[in-house]
Amino acid sequence: MIEQRRPVLTYIVLTVFLLLVITPFAWMLLGSLKTQGELLRVPPTWLPEEPTWDNFRRLFERPFARFFGNSALVAVAVTAGNLLFSSMFGYALAHLRFPFKKLLFVLVLGCLMIPGLVTFIPQYVLIVNLGLADTLPALILPFLVQPFSVFLMRQFFLGLPRELLEAGRIDGVGEIAIFFRIYLPLAGPAFATLGILTFLGSWNNFLWPLVVSSSESTYTLPVALALISTGQNQTDYGLLLAGATVIVLPILVVFLFFQRYFIQGISATGIK
């Protein structure tokens, strides 16, 4: 009798959590179809009384394609660079022997524990001194290698047999070729997990682009949406919700496309 009740209780708990997750997205989508007056009405309404696409029309009247292109370029470049450099760094920490290897790994763990805001000002000063302020490289370079990515890839490569490395050396294959031709093809699940996490983090990044960018030519979607929806007297909530709806779509596509690999990667890169 108790075993029969467990599935029912599980379904109830999962349904409650599902509703908690879906409700903000449903409110955002329905709100994007309301007028400003209806959005500010008290008590609020769930379904739009007079659905309108005016918020989306006003959104696409702005240089939306440029903002979208900037976000896509930055997210793809950060993801690709992070996958390449962090996997090489993680592989070296996992399988290669060199001086100060343990100290280097301790430094990676130390960087992992430091809050990002602590390094915010030094990064900004460095970017300004390099003359990269208000440029797209300023949005990409600081995130090409991240401590969490190095740690994740190291944990994954530790799970792969070291005999592959020894066999490659016996066959006369170089270290770089062993990495790219033997180990890298086996890192698909870890790559998918790291790629999704990095893409989401870069796509949603708001604070760093807000500080570094000062013109529309380098605005990403979150920064542009925050600036164009905020007027002198009040926030244009309809425009804000329409923009948020469009911003979420690429994230859903990426997650749904790589969902299977993401779950495999989480299982394969379990903390060891």
Side-chain angles (χ1 to χ4, degrees):
M1 188 65 178
I2 294 177
E3 293 182 355
Q4 292 179 348
R5 289 178 180 177
R6 283 179 180 175
V8 177
L9 182 60
T10 301
Y11 286 131
I12 293 175
V13 172
L14 291 177
T15 302
V16 171
F17 276 104
L18 180 64
L19 291 176
L20 290 176
V21 172
I22 289 180
T23 299
F25 290 99
W27 179 264
M28 177 185 68
L29 180 60
L30 295 174
S32 66
L33 302 176
K34 297 177 183 177
T35 61
Q36 178 78 350
E38 189 176 356
L39 284 169
L40 297 177
R41 187 179 303 170
V42 180
T45 58
W46 259 104
L47 298 177
E49 294 180 349
E50 297 179 358
T52 175
W53 296 99
D54 184 62
N55 295 322
F56 290 94
R57 180 188 61 77
R58 291 189 293 116
L59 177 67
F60 287 103
E61 285 179 349
R62 307 288 183 132
F64 189 78
R66 175 185 300 170
F67 304 145
F68 190 93
N70 288 342
S71 282
L73 176 63
V74 171
V76 170
V78 168
T79 303
N82 199 34
L83 286 176
L84 177 62
F85 298 124
S86 297
S87 62
M88 294 175 71
F89 198 173
Y91 169 77
L93 291 177
H95 287 302
L96 299 185
R97 296 175 180 173
F98 55 89
F100 307 113
K101 175 181 173 181
K102 292 184 179 179
L103 177 61
L104 197 57
F105 180 59
V106 171
L107 289 177
V108 171
L109 292 179
C111 294
L112 192 61
M113 299 173 188
I114 296 175
L117 290 178
V118 174
T119 60
F120 196 87
I121 293 179
Q123 280 184 351
Y124 178 75
V125 173
L126 180 61
I127 289 296
V128 171
N129 289 335
L130 290 175
L132 296 176
D134 196 26
T135 63
L136 291 179
L139 305 178
I140 298 172
L141 291 177
F143 305 101
L144 289 181
V145 179
Q146 300 179 34
F148 173 75
S149 306
V150 175
F151 177 74
L152 184 72
M153 295 308 298
R154 175 189 178 273
Q155 295 304 108
F156 176 79
F157 284 123
L158 279 178
L160 298 180
R162 186 176 174 80
E163 288 74 12
L164 295 173
L165 175 64
E166 303 297 339
R169 286 176 176 172
I170 293 175
D171 291 340
V173 182
E175 297 293 342
I176 296 178
I178 291 175
F179 171 71
F180 281 102
R181 292 168 57 186
I182 298 178
Y183 279 92
L184 208 56
L186 300 175
F191 258 45
T193 302
L194 183 58
I196 290 175
L197 295 177
T198 306
F199 184 87
L200 295 183
S202 180
W203 184 265
N204 294 323
N205 193 5
F206 174 74
L207 187 57
W208 178 256
L210 177 66
V211 174
V212 174
S213 303
S214 57
S215 64
E216 287 191 351
S217 61
T218 57
Y219 282 168
T220 57
L221 275 176
V223 175
L225 184 58
L227 295 180
I228 65 178
S229 63
T230 304
Q232 294 182 347
N233 299 320
Q234 65 176 3
T235 301
D236 190 338
Y237 292 105
L239 188 65
L240 185 63
L241 292 174
T245 302
V246 175
I247 289 176
V248 167
L249 291 179
I251 297 176
L252 290 178
V253 171
V254 170
F255 182 76
L256 292 176
F257 187 75
F258 292 103
Q259 181 183 12
R260 181 166 60 91
Y261 301 100
F262 181 73
I263 295 174
Q264 290 177 356
I266 290 294
S267 302
T269 55
I271 303 300
K272 296 178 176 68

